[in-house]
């Protein structure tokens, strides 16, 4: 079967390969892949900056945002042939650490977790893949192709869960939220914020393209300026860019008792001048919190699936700005100015 593979660490090594059928060791559920979403992590892997091959192998099958149709499921699982499913990305570490032992692999403490399509475990960008029943999450069949948005939705569902758990340490009645970055993660974070009844403000740099209208159609407000101009006293900031200056601006301008959740992975290597003392002073005197959030466990996939199920399908459909057949995978990896989510169509 065909699969999109790379040699991690080696730029220019991505290619469409013929690979053996998926190994039984990956799990008893056989899935026919329908679509793979492309994100910044895939671009980093293909550029050679991130990613690890499975032990003893040179190449890694990429693809961690998936949608597939169950072809075979074991008796006794709640899956059956024909179900639309999304594969969970991370697998618990083998030790396991205290968090992985209780299915909180997204909080793995020893770094020995694996991630399908990213870290030491082949991903989903192959015509078929196998998976453990507990790691395949069913999506509302009415969503069809839009189910491919579940993985990024799970990541923002986790971010919102962190914000709420931290906010609830005291009386918590948030009203305003800022989301930095109007890419797929930012837009899905804004969507969940609006679903929670918050006044949501999204900040990005672009003036044209689909993003400003997507934000407006959510019932949120689009801005291009600084956080403090977009929304003074935001109770929540979900930072989705990884841009250092925005991270510090968020910490400086979040409301007293507010929560800043960092979801963007920065590349590093850039220094900023920060008045650390005054930042510390205001964060202490105003009980503010900053939390990093990555990945998602099964509960977050279920929260993400519920958020997608109640979203406007027309709006979700507009997040997918390009669909590219597997044979033209290289076009999917080349970022266009107007792209929000690009999807590789693997099957029908
Ligand atoms: C994925 C996460 C993963 C993270 C780090 C992100 O693109 O969505 O599931 O944990 O990369 O590898």
């Amino acid at each position: 079967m065909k699969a999109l593979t790379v040699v991690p660490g080696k730029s220019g090594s991505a290619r469409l390969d013929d690979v053996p059928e998926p190994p039984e060791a990956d799990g008893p559920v056989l899935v026919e892949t329908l679509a793979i979403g492309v994100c910044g992590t895939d671009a980093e892997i293909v550029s050679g900056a991130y990613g690890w091959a499975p032990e003893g192998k040179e190449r890694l099958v990429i693809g961690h945002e998936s949608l597939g149709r169950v072809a075979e499921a074991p008796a006794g699982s709640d899956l059956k042939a024909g179900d639309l499913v999304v594969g969970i990305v991370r697998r618990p570490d083998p030790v396991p650490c205290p968090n992985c032992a209780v299915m909180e692999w997204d909080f793995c403490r020893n770094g020995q977790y694996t991630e399908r399509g990213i870290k030491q475990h082949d991903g989903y960008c192959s015509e078929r893949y196998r998976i453990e029943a507990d790691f395949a999450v069913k999506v509302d069949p009415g969503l069809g192709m839009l189910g491919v948005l579940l993985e990024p939705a799970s990541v923002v569902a986790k971010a919102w869960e962190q914000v709420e758990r931290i906010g609830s340490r005291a009386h918590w009645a948030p009203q305003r939220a800022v989301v930095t970055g109007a890419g797929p993660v930012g837009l899905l974070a804004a969507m969940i914020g609006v679903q929670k009844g918050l006044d949501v403000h999204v900040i990005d740099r672009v003036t044209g393209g689909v993003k400003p209208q997507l934000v407006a159609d959510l019932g949120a407000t689009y801005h291009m300026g600084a956080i403090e101009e977009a929304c003074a006293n935001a109770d929540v900031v979900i930072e989705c860019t990884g841009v250092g200056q925005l991270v510090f601006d968020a910490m400086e301008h979040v409301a007293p008792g507010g929560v800043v959740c960092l979801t963007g992975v920065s590349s590093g290597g850039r220094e900023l001048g920060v008045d650390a003392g005054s930042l510390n002073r205001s964060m202490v005197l105003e009980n503010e919190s900053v939390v990093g959030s990555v990945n998602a466990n099964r509960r977050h996939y279920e929260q993400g699936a519920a958020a997608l199920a109640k979203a406007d399908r027309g709006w979700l459909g507009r997040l997918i700005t390009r669909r590219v057949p597997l044979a033209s995978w290289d076009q999917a990896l080349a970022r266009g100015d107007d792209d929000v989510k690009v999807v590789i169509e693997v099957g029908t």
Side-chain angles (χ1 to χ4, degrees):
M1 65 171 179
K2 298 278 181 224
L4 185 53
T5 71
V6 299
V7 179
K10 196 168 165 197
S11 155
S13 63
R15 69 178 188 218
L16 195 57
D17 254 341
D18 280 309
V19 301
E21 286 298 313
E24 303 263 342
D26 277 350
V29 183
L30 179 68
V31 180
E32 280 162 3
T33 312
L34 296 174
I36 296 294
V38 177
C39 81
T41 302
D42 299 305
E44 277 211 312
I45 296 172
V46 168
S47 78
Y50 196 60
W52 297 261
E55 220 173 280
K57 284 184 156 185
E58 192 195 16
R59 304 190 75 88
L60 168 78
V61 175
I62 64 169
H64 62 278
E65 297 184 7
S66 67
L67 175 72
R69 189 183 296 115
V70 173
E72 285 169 18
S77 75
D78 75 336
L79 297 171
K80 57 177 186 332
D83 284 344
L84 286 185
V85 290
V86 167
I88 289 177
V89 175
R90 197 175 278 194
R91 295 295 177 278
D93 78 76
V95 176
C97 77
N99 287 63
C100 286
V102 295
M103 313 294 267
E104 288 188 346
W105 50 77
D106 56 315
F107 268 84
C108 180
R109 301 275 287 276
N110 63 22
Q112 293 178 45
Y113 61 84
T114 55
E115 288 183 339
R116 293 203 65 163
I118 302 175
K119 185 172 181 279
Q120 298 167 305
H121 198 156
D122 280 336
Y124 300 122
C125 196
S126 48
E127 289 176 285
R128 287 167 288 285
Y129 66 83
R130 283 191 170 273
I131 190 164
E132 315 86 324
D134 288 348
F135 286 81
V137 183
K138 273 200 261 190
V139 292
D140 183 336
L143 281 172
M145 209 57 156
L146 302 174
V148 75
L149 297 170
L150 178 52
E151 197 278 338
S154 73
V155 165
V156 294
K158 171 178 171 179
W160 274 109
E161 185 191 73
Q162 303 308 299
V163 165
E164 277 168 4
R165 289 188 173 192
I166 294 166
S168 312
R169 70 209 151 132
H171 174 70
W172 179 241
Q175 293 183 344
R176 283 172 296 273
V178 165
V179 174
T180 51
V185 170
L187 288 166
L188 289 167
M191 179 190 90
I192 294 182
V194 171
Q195 287 180 351
K196 289 179 185 297
L198 297 178
D199 172 19
V200 177
H201 298 262
V202 179
I203 303 179
D204 200 298
R205 286 182 306 196
V206 296
T207 47
V210 293
K211 292 177 179 178
Q213 197 56 46
L214 279 167
V215 171
D217 291 347
L218 261 186
T221 313
Y222 185 82
H223 305 264
M224 283 177 304
I227 291 182
E228 64 276 26
E229 286 160 18
C231 173
N233 269 340
D235 303 296
V236 178
V237 180
I238 311 261
E239 207 298 304
C240 304
T241 69
V243 174
Q245 187 63 56
L246 284 173
V247 169
F248 281 100
D249 287 352
M251 287 157 65
E252 197 176 332
H253 295 291
V254 72
V259 184
V260 176
C261 183
L262 307 177
T263 70
V265 183
S266 323
S267 44
R270 249 184 233 164
E271 290 187 12
L272 286 176
V274 175
D275 181 346
S278 88
L279 186 59
N280 175 69
R281 181 184 164 85
S282 71
M283 293 197 67
V284 170
L285 292 177
E286 296 175 356
N287 291 293
E288 291 150 0
S289 314
V290 182
V291 59
S293 181
V294 70
N295 195 254
N297 64 40
R298 190 170 173 116
R299 181 176 72 246
H300 307 123
Y301 278 80
E302 282 159 7
Q303 292 164 358
L308 291 181
K310 65 178 173 210
D312 180 276
R313 305 244 156 113
W315 185 85
L316 289 176
R318 283 159 57 213
L319 292 187
I320 300 178
T321 43
R322 270 193 307 136
R323 296 172 181 222
V324 176
L326 181 58
S328 312
W329 58 272
D330 48 337
Q331 290 170 23
L333 289 163
R335 234 193 120 61
D337 284 347
D338 228 8
D339 283 334
V340 178
K341 176 58 70 188
V342 178
V343 162
I344 301 178
E345 290 181 320
V346 180
T348 47

